[in-house]
Amino acid sequence: MATASKDGLPNVVPMTFVKVYDDEHLLIVDNFMEKSKDNLINNPYVAICVWSMEDKQAYQIKGKAAIHTSGQIFDEAVAWVKREMPVLQPKSAVLIEITNIYVCQPGDNLGKEL
């Protein structure tokens, strides 16, 4: 996941817990974020590259993030992580409102917006 500070300094980190939340959002669980979380507080825009196991394609997703530290979204994120890796202690749930999706797979559709 790529973020940027309010001054435009980029930061990119690998994410383990990423999934489609609904037709308009991705859910990312914050287990270790420091710089990324600071960036999201000051500049909520993100980009993330994901691999779809279903169609064997790579996608770049851009959007606006909202941080949740309590409530239903946070509770769902914690339950998900605890099922998969009980030793982790999620700090927040990041819900990304998707604004753009691009094909990242080499071929004729590379760079095409979906």
Side-chain angles (χ1 to χ4, degrees):
M1 180 176 73
T3 61
S5 70
K6 63 182 175 183
D7 299 325
L9 185 63
N11 186 60
V12 64
V13 295
M15 302 303 297
T16 300
F17 288 93
V18 179
K19 71 176 178 178
V20 174
Y21 187 76
D22 61 29
D23 288 345
E24 299 173 353
H25 297 90
L26 282 183
L27 176 64
I28 296 176
V29 182
D30 164 17
N31 293 299
F32 304 107
M33 287 194 280
E34 291 182 23
K35 289 179 192 172
S36 295
K37 191 169 187 178
D38 288 343
N39 286 350
L40 292 175
I41 290 168
N42 293 300
N43 177 0
Y45 295 97
V46 302
I48 186 166
C49 191
V50 297
W51 173 259
S52 170
M53 297 298 285
E54 291 177 13
D55 60 6
K56 307 276 191 259
Q57 293 289 312
Y59 300 97
Q60 181 192 69
I61 300 169
K62 293 184 179 185
K64 186 174 181 181
I67 300 170
H68 298 265
T69 56
S70 63
Q72 179 182 342
I73 294 168
F74 177 71
D75 293 344
E76 290 173 10
V78 170
W80 174 33
V81 170
K82 290 299 184 181
R83 278 191 309 273
E84 301 294 324
M85 296 183 78
V87 299
L88 294 178
Q89 298 295 322
K91 298 187 287 184
S92 65
V94 179
L95 196 64
I96 299 173
E97 180 182 358
I98 298 168
T99 57
N100 308 87
I101 302 175
Y102 301 93
V103 175
C104 288
Q105 192 69 25
D108 294 341
N109 291 323
L110 180 64
K112 179 180 177 184
E113 185 171 7
L114 302 177

